[in-house]
Amino acid sequence: MPRGRRGGRVSALEGGPEEPPAAAAQTLLRGIFEIRRSSCDVVLSERALRWRPIVPERPAGDSKCDVQCKEEFIEVKDIFSVKLKRRYSAKQQGNGTLLGITLFICLKKEQNKLKDSTLDLINLSEDHCDVWFKQFKKILAGFSNRPKSLKVILNPQSHKKEATQIYHEKVEPLLRVAGIKTDVTITEYEGHALALLKECELQEFDG
């Protein structure tokens, strides 16, 4: 699998869910992006993002063409954040050079286990990316059941006394990317978590 930040770029069809019917959802946007160094025809619907490499016409039955033209997809519900991808340099001021859009994705790999990945949609057009970025943001805002604020209680003795380090290195960055506010407390004695929950104003949090 091509490598990316954290979990690496997503391999949409590997171990993923069954493909949702293409005709079941309305097409919202269609455009050209570079994905994994290939120019692709990309379609965004209410349920899924699909892409297929654009390749020169080949004779019918060309097996190489069939492999190259294979459609891939990710379900929109697996996207937890979207950012504009920019390149910055020391001599450059302002917002940097736009490269495209980065999607942050979380896929269920096993029971109680998630795998985070990224998918880059490369296009240097500010206008083109702005339209797609706003549409992605609109879709994500529509998931009303997603938390915006979490109370986090860490037991420093758990997971071989590595829980605090694991949280700050692996969990906190993902929550930050997803735009989730956190209030973190590290327990100091046995029963501290229960005492905190009794005192905490839980209505201020989503979980």
Side-chain angles (χ1 to χ4, degrees), residues 164-179:
T164 303
Q165 178 182 352
I166 290 173
Y167 172 79
H168 288 299
E169 290 183 357
K170 298 184 179 295
V171 181
E172 186 179 44
L174 293 177
L175 296 178
R176 190 184 310 117
V177 167

Side-chain angles (χ1 to χ4, degrees), residues 6-207:
R6 283 184 287 275
R9 292 183 180 178
V10 65
S11 179
L13 298 176
E14 182 179 351
E18 292 185 4
E19 182 175 1
Q26 178 184 359
T27 296
L28 301 175
L29 291 172
R30 184 170 187 171
I32 305 298
F33 286 94
E34 180 184 318
I35 300 177
R36 302 176 193 146
R37 299 183 180 180
S38 295
S39 293
C40 296
D41 178 18
V42 184
V43 178
L44 175 64
S45 71
E46 298 168 332
R47 294 181 54 189
L49 178 76
R50 301 170 180 277
W51 65 94
R52 184 188 298 271
I54 301 172
V55 296
E57 290 189 9
R58 293 176 180 269
D62 189 323
S63 58
K64 183 178 181 180
C65 179
D66 292 340
V67 172
Q68 289 179 333
C69 295
K70 187 174 182 180
E71 182 182 82
E72 295 186 78
F73 78 98
I74 54 173
E75 293 189 75
V76 171
K77 66 180 180 61
D78 292 327
I79 302 173
F80 67 88
S81 187
V82 57
K83 305 287 184 183
L84 290 173
K85 181 180 179 66
R86 296 184 181 276
R87 180 176 59 228
Y88 297 89
S89 65
K91 298 179 180 179
Q92 195 173 19
Q93 296 182 349
N95 294 325
T97 302
L98 178 71
L99 300 178
I101 298 171
T102 297
L103 302 179
F104 296 83
I105 302 155
C106 206
L107 298 174
K108 188 173 183 179
K109 304 300 288 185
E110 302 174 30
Q111 185 177 7
N112 299 325
K113 288 188 178 182
L114 300 174
K115 178 71 173 179
D116 69 290
S117 307
T118 60
L119 181 69
D120 291 333
L121 309 179
I122 303 301
N123 189 301
L124 305 184
S125 169
E126 291 271 1
D127 292 338
H128 187 69
C129 288
D130 184 61
V131 170
W132 281 73
F133 177 75
K134 288 179 178 177
Q135 185 65 64
F136 278 119
K137 295 289 284 186
K138 181 179 179 180
I139 292 173
L140 296 184
F143 293 115
S144 58
N145 61 330
R146 293 189 176 185
K148 302 296 183 185
S149 178
L150 295 175
K151 175 64 184 178
V152 179
I153 298 176
L154 292 176
N155 178 359
Q157 300 302 313
S158 67
H159 204 76
K160 300 179 181 179
K161 298 185 178 182
E162 295 179 347
T164 303
Q165 178 182 352
I166 290 173
Y167 172 79
H168 288 299
E169 290 183 357
K170 298 184 179 295
V171 181
E172 186 179 44
L174 293 177
L175 296 178
R176 190 184 310 117
V177 167
I180 299 175
K181 297 180 180 179
T182 58
D183 184 82
V184 182
T185 302
I186 300 175
T187 57
E188 299 175 356
Y189 54 86
E190 185 176 352
H192 190 189
L194 183 60
L196 286 169
L197 289 175
K198 289 180 178 179
E199 299 174 359
C200 183
E201 297 292 338
L202 293 179
Q203 63 270 22
E204 298 179 3
F205 304 99
D206 297 320

